[in-house]
């Protein structure tokens, strides 16, 4: 197993950050995501999304089944059907200046160091993009 975690502080309250990080909006926020779709009207625990994503030219398709949806504090989902199965956890913690987002990815198998570096760069890029969009609201 491999665990990777990154964090960023956003100078907005958790409620604003939560709205911005709605999974359906991810393709608007970052070119890492080509598609995020679901047939469900509302996101909640049990919702399954189809995602096409990747940091470079080569994109992969996978599913994300939401396992925890606790607005505006926590989003967790299980990733399956793609090359990097595992889980992702997002925690939003209020701070004196806004919100700390902690984004953790767990992978079901050991990842080689170059793959870990690539994933960490993508995580940091996405957090930076979320930060930019949320701070413009």
């Amino acid at each position: 197993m491999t665990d990777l975690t990154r964090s960023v502080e956003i100078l907005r309250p958790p409620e604003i950050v939560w709205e911005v990080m709605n999974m359906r909006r991810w393709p608007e926020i970052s070119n890492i995501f080509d598609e995020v779709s679901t047939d469900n009207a509302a996101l909640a625990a049990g919702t399954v999304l189809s995602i096409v994503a990747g940091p470079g030219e080569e994109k992969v398709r996978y599913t994300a089944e939401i396992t925890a949806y606790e607005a505006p504090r926590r989003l967790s989902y299980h990733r399956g059907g793609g090359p990097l199965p595992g889980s992702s956890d997002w925690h939003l913690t209020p701070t004196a200046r806004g919100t700390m987002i902690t984004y953790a990815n767990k992978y079901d198998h050991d990842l080689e160091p170059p793959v870990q570096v690539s994933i960490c760069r993508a995580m940091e890029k996405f957090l930076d993009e979320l930060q930019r969009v949320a701070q413009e609201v």
Side-chain angles (χ1 to χ4, degrees), residues 6-66:
R6 293 293 182 266
S7 298
V8 67
E9 185 174 26
I10 298 178
L11 305 180
R12 293 289 182 264
E15 294 77 14
I16 298 293
V17 175
W18 184 262
E19 287 179 33
V20 169
M21 61 176 275
N22 179 320
M23 294 176 78
R24 288 188 171 110
R25 294 188 60 191
W26 289 2
E28 299 168 28
I29 293 168
S30 177
N31 64 5
I32 292 172
F33 297 92
D34 280 2
E35 176 187 325
V36 176
S37 61
T38 182
D39 292 336
N40 293 40
L43 298 181
T47 299
V48 177
L49 299 103
S50 175
I51 299 175
V52 178
E57 295 291 320
E58 191 171 323
K59 305 290 184 176
V60 297
R61 180 176 295 277
Y62 62 95
T63 60
E65 180 177 355
I66 297 175

Side-chain angles (χ1 to χ4, degrees), residues 8-12 16-23 25-30 32-33 75 77 90 92 101-103 122-137:
V8 67
E9 185 174 26
I10 298 178
L11 305 180
R12 293 289 182 264
I16 298 293
V17 175
W18 184 262
E19 287 179 33
V20 169
M21 61 176 275
N22 179 320
M23 294 176 78
R25 294 188 60 191
W26 289 2
E28 299 168 28
I29 293 168
S30 177
I32 292 172
F33 297 92
L75 169 66
Y77 51 90
W90 295 79
L92 283 68
I101 294 181
T102 302
Y103 175 28
M123 291 170 71
E124 291 164 1
K125 178 182 187 299
F126 188 46
L127 285 172
D128 288 347
E129 291 165 337
L130 280 171
Q131 181 182 45
R132 176 187 49 81
V133 171
Q135 290 182 176
E136 291 174 354
V137 172

